Amino acid sequence: MSHRLQQLTDFLHESPNDPFLKYALATEHLKLGHTESALRYYEELLDKHPEYVGTYYHLGKLYEAMDRKDDAISVYEKGMQAAKNKRDMHALSELQAAFRSAAGIDDDDD
């Protein structure tokens, strides 16, 4: 286990309900090629911390990489709503672009 992964795991044991730590763990697992572990943390984040907007984009991209396009599109849709609820226009813009790309919608189609 990498030093960073061990540190994050230790921090999570101290603060098991911290969404940022779960997000960081998911991202670190993904960086190390541990796709299933990353997926597990991202999905847990969505389940227990749906207001944590950063999860949606990364989970959607992971679903796309796993050839789970319908799941990605669904996650992007939920993420867009979560971003609207938090008035996070930057995240909303990123999620809209990811959604359009995954759904095969060109900006020229409007």
Side-chain angles (χ1 to χ4, degrees):
M1 181 180 293
S2 78
H3 178 68
R4 179 162 168 72
L5 193 58
Q6 185 60 57
Q7 277 186 313
L8 290 168
T9 301
D10 292 344
F11 290 148
L12 187 61
H13 285 297
E14 294 171 18
S15 302
N17 293 316
D18 185 330
F20 175 75
L21 290 174
K22 289 180 184 177
Y23 175 82
L25 266 167
T27 303
E28 187 68 15
H29 275 292
L30 192 58
K31 188 170 95 177
L32 295 171
H34 307 157
T35 305
E36 290 302 318
S37 294
L39 182 63
R40 186 176 68 247
Y41 279 109
Y42 283 137
E43 288 178 337
E44 182 180 327
L45 264 169
L46 231 57
D47 183 48
K48 295 185 177 173
H49 303 280
E51 75 287 349
Y52 198 80
V53 175
T55 306
Y56 294 91
Y57 179 87
H58 294 283
L59 178 57
K61 287 296 180 185
L62 181 54
Y63 281 150
E64 285 190 70
M66 297 173 75
D67 205 24
R68 293 174 57 180
K69 188 192 268 189
D70 290 342
D71 290 330
I73 290 169
S74 176
V75 164
Y76 294 142
E77 289 174 325
K78 291 174 186 170
M80 289 185 291
Q81 188 58 55
K84 286 177 189 175
N85 292 347
K86 289 195 83 169
R87 293 184 168 87
D88 185 338
M89 296 302 115
H90 178 73
L92 177 60
S93 175
E94 287 183 333
L95 287 160
Q96 287 171 331
F99 169 79
R100 284 192 303 271
S101 175
I105 301 169
D106 290 331
D107 287 334
D108 296 339
D109 290 348
D110 293 338

